[in-house]
Amino acid sequence: MTLRPTDRPVATCPDGRDDDRRESTDSSTDGAVRDPTVPDGRTDAAEGAEPPASPVPGADRFVAAVAVDGEVLFAGPSVPAVLGVERAALDGEDLLERVHPNDRDPVADALSAVATDRVVTHRLRHANGGFVWVESVVDEELAPEFGGRVVTARRVDADQTFPERFREFLEYGTDLVTVVDADGRVRYESPSVEEVLGYEQGSTVGRSPLGYVHPDDRERVTERFYRALNDPEAAPTLEYRYRTADGDWVWLESRTRSLPADAAVGRLLINSRDVSERKARERRLTDRNERLDRFASIVSHDLRNPLSVIRASMEMARLKGDTEPLERGERAVDRIDQLVSELLTLARQGSGIDEPTEFALGGVAREAWETAGSADATLVVGADARVRGDRGRLRQVFENLFRNATEHGAPGEGAGEPAAGRADSASVRADSASVRADPAASRPTDGGEDAPLTVVVTATDGGFLVADDGPGIDPDHREDAFDPGFTTREDGTGYGLDIVREVVESHGWTVGLRGGDADPACPEDVTVPDGACFVVRGPGPEAAEAGEPWIDG
């Protein structure tokens, strides 16, 4: 804490005379306490006058009479302007309780009878919960009319120290400027702290900024922060997450600079800006690059094999004059076409939803069934829901889940085996008879293996699900179901469910298989089959952030 020899602030009047602006005992007024805000040297204490009822606008100092034990015996009219509290609230209060805990010993020493230095720079708690820096000058002699010492407290915080032109720049600047002292505690934060972080200016003064840093970033930031405090040549630039007044986290980019050793404002200047949007773009770019690497691997391995089959088949047909090998080549071409289509779909996923719209869940499911359903299966739409999201991408989710059900879930087939009698696109039924409102009406009554497959789509208490009454997913495969390239079919690509996951996560939702204690609650009038069941969870309209996708079941 800064302790300096007593110096009495002196201002010069317009006529050149010295005007003692320090609030102190004046023998010419019978030892009364003279307040610099009261003209002609008159005082509130003199002749029983009442103190002014309103604070002095723009005052940067106040006078007080304080007992040796810290009790405030008198508070001047400028107290509200400096500390934001009424004079009456300060009268009788223990001044040391208002002093920052780290500064109490020097202040108590300055008030004592044996002090040699009676000037101390310290922090006083403001009404807004923060602290302001003041320089207090304590008179050596007791004021007889109060029985305590006269203390003149003058603001010396960074806001008063910066030149006026720089203060205006800080007031309107968008970057956050922070000044910390040698102890690593905030002495000043620019007004932009309210816009960037939501804190009232001054509310963090006297506190360490490290307490607001995300736990995962704190060790790294702490090490570089104290290195900058102790090494004037160090000027680190670092990115980290910082807690806002609302409890959220924003990414800050901070550049630090050491201040001169004799600077009155503090030890370290930190210039910070919110880079959350940039970090989000970087994450999306990283995800996209990872997908491109994955696609390159897919093209390198998965497409070379069918191309080799085509070349060998064509060569054999030429040598033998036999067209049967060409059929193998045709199947290989079909597989390549399917792979290319699904890879292109994957390439378009993963980014956020730019322009979400509101639509009915059941309507999208019926549209998807018209193009991806099977003539040997029945779609049942249970409880409907309103959805805010990308309608086209969500239709892709349903199409892939319907294909997965009809290919893997035919009753009587083993899990992962090709479904018999799969209809091609020309035989897919799109008439209203393929959609039933009553799940029980679509279920087989004899339980025979030739009974048609039933696929149910229904809203739940936290999203929606797609289930079928096929044999389900082998427990050994549950962990791998959404992995890229995983398939149990010889002619499968293994990217159908990967596309589902990408689309759902691009909405900010999650998708998984039914099972465990977290299974969603379904409407009582909807029967959910016991086969494969894919559960999508998303926030409701009230829980989602403004403009973000949601599911209102």
Side-chain angles (χ1 to χ4, degrees):
M1 202 47 47
T2 305
L3 289 171
R4 301 199 298 254
T6 302
D7 61 340
R8 305 181 186 277
V10 176
T12 303
C13 294
D15 61 2
R17 291 175 298 142
D18 286 343
D19 179 13
D20 185 357
R21 305 297 291 178
R22 180 177 57 87
E23 300 171 352
S24 62
T25 303
D26 190 339
S27 60
S28 65
T29 57
D30 298 327
V33 179
R34 181 159 58 82
D35 190 328
T37 63
V38 181
D40 302 328
R42 291 174 295 165
T43 70
D44 293 336
E47 301 177 2
E50 292 295 330
S54 58
V56 178
D60 65 346
R61 68 192 70 197
F62 68 87
V63 65
V66 185
V68 175
D69 63 359
E71 180 184 359
V72 177
L73 306 173
F74 167 82
S78 299
V79 166
V82 179
L83 298 180
V85 297
E86 296 299 326
R87 299 170 62 188
L90 199 61
D91 284 341
E93 182 180 291
D94 184 352
L95 182 66
L96 296 177
E97 290 297 322
R98 187 168 288 274
V99 176
H100 192 282
N102 292 349
D103 304 339
R104 285 174 185 166
D105 288 344
V107 175
D109 291 343
L111 291 171
S112 69
V114 295
T116 56
D117 293 324
R118 297 191 184 276
V119 178
V120 57
T121 302
H122 61 96
R123 286 159 285 188
L124 282 176
R125 188 174 69 253
H126 193 274
N128 63 14
F131 288 87
V132 295
W133 283 89
V134 299
E135 180 187 69
S136 293
V137 180
V138 183
D139 272 9
E140 296 181 8
E141 301 297 331
L142 295 176
E145 71 278 14
F146 291 114
R149 301 186 189 281
V150 176
V151 178
T152 304
R154 177 176 62 90
R155 287 192 64 170
V156 294
D157 54 9
D159 187 52
Q160 303 295 320
T161 306
F162 282 118
E164 187 65 30
R165 63 181 182 274
F166 295 127
R167 289 178 56 198
E168 184 175 350
F169 164 75
L170 292 174
E171 180 178 354
Y172 293 101
T174 56
D175 284 3
L176 173 60
V177 177
T178 305
V179 178
V180 299
D181 59 19
D183 296 328
R185 298 183 181 275
V186 175
R187 289 196 62 176
Y188 170 83
E189 278 190 322
S190 59
S192 54
V193 68
E194 298 184 17
E195 179 181 351
V196 177
L197 299 174
Y199 295 106
E200 182 180 356
Q201 186 186 15
S203 63
T204 61
V205 171
R207 303 173 183 175
S208 171
L210 297 175
Y212 299 86
V213 176
H214 193 283
D216 293 343
D217 303 330
R218 191 169 297 158
E219 181 178 356
R220 170 175 55 88
V221 173
T222 298
E223 187 272 331
R224 303 190 69 181
F225 178 76
Y226 280 104
R227 184 194 305 172
L229 274 178
N230 298 322
D231 182 3
E233 300 300 323
T237 297
L238 57 160
E239 295 177 352
Y240 54 95
R241 286 158 290 184
Y242 202 85
R243 188 173 71 249
T244 67
D246 296 331
D248 297 327
W249 299 97
V250 298
W251 278 95
L252 293 182
E253 179 188 71
S254 295
R255 301 174 183 270
T256 64
R257 293 290 185 274
S258 294
L259 294 171
D262 58 350
V265 293
R267 175 67 63 84
L268 198 65
L269 180 70
I270 306 174
N271 188 285
S272 305
R273 64 179 56 187
D274 185 350
V275 294
S276 300
E277 292 186 5
R278 190 187 75 194
K279 296 295 290 187
R281 290 195 299 270
E282 290 176 355
R283 287 195 298 271
R284 289 196 295 268
L285 181 60
T286 299
D287 292 342
R288 184 170 297 178
N289 288 339
E290 290 177 353
R291 287 197 300 274
L292 289 175
D293 290 341
R294 192 172 70 206
F295 297 156
S297 175
I298 293 169
V299 171
S300 175
H301 296 87
D302 290 15
L303 295 186
R304 282 182 177 177
N305 289 337
L307 286 174
S308 299
V309 171
I310 292 175
R311 294 190 184 95
S313 299
M314 299 302 181
E315 186 67 23
M316 188 178 299
R318 293 191 186 97
L319 292 175
K320 296 185 176 181
D322 186 3
T323 60
E324 182 177 353
L326 295 179
E327 296 178 1
R328 294 180 58 212
E330 185 177 0
R331 289 194 298 271
V333 169
D334 290 340
R335 174 169 169 76
I336 291 176
D337 182 64
Q338 186 179 5
L339 276 171
V340 169
S341 297
E342 296 194 354
L343 290 177
L344 288 175
T345 301
L346 269 176
R348 297 187 181 102
Q349 309 307 324
S351 58
I353 306 303
D354 295 328
E355 296 182 0
T357 59
E358 294 185 25
F359 48 87
L361 181 74
V364 177
R366 293 183 178 93
E367 292 175 4
W369 186 261
E370 291 178 359
T371 55
S374 170
D376 298 323
T378 301
L379 173 67
V380 176
V381 178
D384 206 349
R386 293 296 301 172
V387 177
R388 178 178 175 83
D390 189 314
R391 185 186 181 99
R393 293 195 196 185
L394 194 59
R395 176 172 174 169
Q396 181 74 52
V397 167
F398 282 118
E399 288 178 352
N400 284 27
L401 291 177
F402 293 159
R403 290 192 184 101
N404 182 80
T406 56
E407 291 176 1
H408 295 279
E413 299 286 348
E417 295 301 321
R422 180 188 174 195
D424 57 24
S425 59
S427 63
V428 172
R429 294 193 309 179
D431 59 288
S432 59
S434 65
V435 180
R436 317 247 178 151
D438 182 6
S442 65
R443 287 191 162 277
T445 57
D446 56 4
E449 293 186 356
D450 295 332
L453 180 73
T454 299
V455 180
V456 173
V457 175
T458 183
T460 67
D461 62 345
F464 65 89
L465 60 80
V466 179
D468 62 62
D469 57 0
I473 297 178
D474 190 322
D476 294 336
H477 298 156
R478 289 177 63 88
E479 297 294 330
D480 307 320
F482 293 94
D483 289 350
F486 176 79
T487 181
T488 59
R489 291 172 56 91
E490 183 178 350
D491 59 346
T493 65
Y495 298 106
L497 294 183
D498 187 25
I499 293 173
V500 169
R501 180 184 55 81
E502 290 274 5
V503 174
V504 170
E505 291 182 354
S506 71
H507 281 73
W509 306 339
T510 61
V511 61
L513 294 170
R514 175 178 56 188
D517 298 333
D519 284 351
C522 297
E524 295 180 358
D525 58 345
V526 177
T527 303
V528 179
D530 295 329
C533 180
F534 298 88
V535 179
V536 175
R537 295 180 175 87
E542 299 80 9
E545 296 184 7
E548 294 299 313
W550 45 257
I551 306 171
D552 187 12

